[in-house]
Amino acid sequence: MTGNQIEGLIGMLTTLGILVLLILPSVLGIARDRRVDRQLREAQEARGAQGREKEVQKSSSRSTVPSTATWYADGRRSKKFVSS
């Protein structure tokens, strides 16, 4: 190899090294985002499975009439205050 070829090889390796240093954070960020997305999807699926199990176990004998506290809160919300 001649001196010019060695200089060309060093320049090419330096350029490649800089390119890797610039791209590496993006690749790591994409990999991390995919991992987080997968974990969120698995948690959502697990929560959905638990919700379906609770629906099956739910008793239909409970009354659906709102409690006294709910009626009181609805009445309080409907009043409008006027500042003087």
Side-chain angles (χ1 to χ4, degrees), residues 2-84:
T2 65
N4 287 338
Q5 289 175 333
I6 292 175
E7 283 183 27
L9 180 63
I10 291 172
M12 193 169 42
L13 290 176
T14 303
T15 304
L16 183 63
I18 292 171
L19 182 65
V20 167
L21 287 176
L22 290 173
I23 292 176
L24 187 64
S26 297
V27 171
L28 293 176
I30 290 170
R32 180 177 180 267
D33 285 346
R34 287 185 183 226
R35 188 188 73 222
V36 169
D37 288 343
R38 180 179 42 84
Q39 290 173 344
L40 288 173
R41 195 176 325 111
E42 289 172 356
Q44 188 175 14
E45 289 172 359
R47 184 177 296 164
Q50 287 177 353
R52 284 188 295 271
E53 289 175 3
K54 286 182 181 180
E55 287 177 8
V56 171
Q57 296 174 357
K58 190 183 231 183
S59 173
S60 62
S61 63
R62 287 191 63 162
S63 173
T64 58
V65 177
S67 68
T68 306
T70 305
W71 288 105
Y72 177 76
D74 286 340
R76 298 283 294 172
R77 277 190 224 118
S78 66
K79 294 181 181 176
K80 295 189 178 187
F81 297 103
V82 178
S83 61
S84 38

